């Protein structure tokens, strides 16, 4: 008997995020939205899986990502040196797997890192309900620290929005807008000005872009993880489709303020930063 399917919703928000797609040592990029490898990595960390351990059923989960707040691109300048003062190794390795020294010797590498700042996403993970409820508990009580793509990018709270007994697209269409309160009010103020009103205009719905895993999709992404083992990282492709979803903003029609579900509850360490 097939286990019933459900959807786990994750709110992926924080001051900085970075979802590598085609990174090399000197230039670390970020995609415009979370990758499947990044989301599965977050769930694996929450569940306490070491990088060398098999991922089990995690790669079989279907992923959908909704862009509630796209954020802006941040370029960060870095330099890298050996703390012992030695010349840096190059990317190439010898037949014994040892990195070769730079020639001529180089003592400093200049690297560029890219991040998304002030972005908010809703990731929907569809699969067996028993597995998703276990992962929901793990995300709320993670075994390892959670990160938004890169370990230097911690998430704001709450990360888990809970399990929904529905399908992937319906879950993304019905979950209220998760944008930050500052971005919501700025958007409402702009709509008010466009309509010639004296104050902000709070719409009932807003259109957000989404990427949904779909075997019949017309786009292919190479971000489905098979192994996170640092010595043997393996990824496979998956098909996706892109769509625009009309979602509820979460504003109550009687008092014109966002409901608590849209803004999240509980302790938030980034609240003083406007999150």
């Amino acid at each position: 008997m097939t286990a019933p399917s459900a959807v786990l919703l994750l709110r992926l928000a924080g001051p900085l995020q970075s979802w590598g797609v085609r990174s090399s040592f000197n230039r670390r990029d970020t995609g415009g939205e979370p990758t499947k490898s990044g989301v599965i990595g977050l769930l694996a960390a929450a569940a306490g899986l070491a990088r060398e351990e098999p991922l089990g059923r995690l790669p079989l989960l279907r992923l959908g990502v909704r862009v509630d707040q796209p954020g802006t691109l941040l370029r960060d300048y870095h330099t890298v040196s050996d703390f012992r003062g030695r010349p840096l190794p190059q990317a190439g390795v010898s037949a014994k797997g040892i990195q070769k020294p730079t020639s001529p010797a180089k003592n400093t590498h200049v690297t560029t890192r890219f991040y998304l700042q002030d972005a908010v996403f809703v990731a929907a993970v569809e699969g067996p309900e028993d597995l998703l409820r276990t992962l929901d508990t793990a995300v709320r009580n993670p075994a390892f620290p959670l990160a938004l793509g890169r370990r230097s990018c911690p998430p704001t709270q709450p990360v888990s929005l809970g399990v929904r007994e529905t399908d992937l697209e319906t879950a993304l269409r019905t979950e209220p807008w998760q944008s930050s309160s500052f971005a919501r009010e700025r958007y409402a103020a702009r709509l008010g000005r466009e309509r010639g009103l004296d104050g902000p205009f709070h719409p009932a719905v807003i259109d957000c872009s989404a990427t949904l895993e779909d075997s019949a999709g017309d786009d292919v992404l190479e971000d489905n993880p098979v192994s996170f083992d640092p010595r043997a990282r393996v990824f496979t492709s998956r098909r996706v489709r892109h769509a625009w979803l009309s979602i509820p903003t979460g504003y109550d029609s009687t008092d014109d303020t966002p409901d608590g579900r849209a803004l999240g509850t509980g302790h938030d360490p980034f609240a003083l930063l406007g999150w």
Side-chain angles (χ1 to χ4, degrees):
M1 182 177 179
T2 304
S5 180
V7 175
L8 171 62
L9 292 174
L10 304 172
R11 182 180 184 270
L12 304 179
L16 292 177
Q17 307 187 33
S18 188
W19 307 96
V21 180
R22 292 175 298 274
S23 293
S24 59
F25 177 76
N26 284 352
R27 184 182 178 88
R28 299 295 178 91
D29 68 356
T30 179
E33 60 188 47
T35 58
K36 185 171 183 180
S37 59
V39 174
I40 295 300
L42 182 148
L43 294 174
L49 294 178
R51 290 190 175 189
E52 298 79 9
E53 292 187 66
L55 294 174
R57 295 184 289 173
L58 294 182
L60 301 179
L61 299 173
R62 286 183 65 215
L63 174 67
V65 174
R66 193 181 77 191
V67 182
D68 285 30
Q69 190 172 311
T72 56
L73 189 64
L74 172 68
R75 177 180 180 270
D76 195 14
Y77 174 88
H78 279 259
T79 59
V80 179
S81 301
D82 190 305
F83 73 95
R84 296 161 295 191
R86 299 177 183 177
L88 294 169
Q90 60 175 276
V93 297
S94 67
K96 295 182 179 180
I98 301 174
Q99 283 184 283
K100 301 175 182 178
T102 49
S103 180
K106 180 183 287 188
N107 292 304
T108 303
H109 271 310
V110 176
T111 74
T112 303
R113 312 290 174 94
F114 291 90
Y115 300 87
L116 295 175
Q117 54 185 351
D118 300 331
V120 181
F121 304 98
V122 173
V125 183
E126 184 181 57
E129 184 176 356
D130 60 337
L131 173 59
L132 295 183
R133 293 201 179 276
T134 299
L135 292 173
D136 180 35
T137 301
V139 169
R140 297 173 189 271
N141 304 275
F144 297 128
L146 305 183
L148 302 176
R150 199 171 290 163
R151 279 184 288 182
S152 59
C153 303
T156 187
Q157 297 295 320
V159 177
S160 177
L161 298 176
V163 176
R164 308 285 186 264
E165 296 179 6
T166 184
D167 62 89
L168 189 70
E169 185 167 341
T170 300
L172 288 175
R173 284 187 182 277
T174 55
E175 190 65 20
W177 194 25
Q178 297 295 316
S179 184
S180 68
S181 57
F182 175 77
R184 295 162 66 91
E185 289 310 305
R186 184 174 58 182
Y187 177 71
R190 178 169 63 84
L191 290 184
R193 290 193 300 270
E194 291 175 354
R195 287 163 171 75
L197 303 177
D198 294 332
F201 175 79
H202 297 103
V205 297
I206 186 173
D207 291 336
C208 292
S209 64
T211 300
L212 300 102
E213 193 165 338
D214 188 337
S215 59
D218 55 4
D219 197 2
V220 178
L221 300 179
E222 299 283 343
D223 66 348
N224 196 27
V226 176
S227 171
F228 288 130
D229 189 331
R231 297 164 296 183
R233 292 184 180 179
V234 181
F235 301 90
T236 60
S237 62
R238 63 188 179 107
R239 302 196 73 88
V240 300
R241 61 183 171 89
H242 305 283
W244 285 91
L245 306 179
S246 292
I247 65 169
T249 58
Y251 283 105
D252 186 88
S253 59
T254 58
D255 60 11
D256 208 27
T257 58
D259 63 26
R261 191 178 179 210
L263 293 179
T265 58
H267 171 65
D268 185 348
F270 293 114
L272 295 178
L273 299 178
W275 285 86

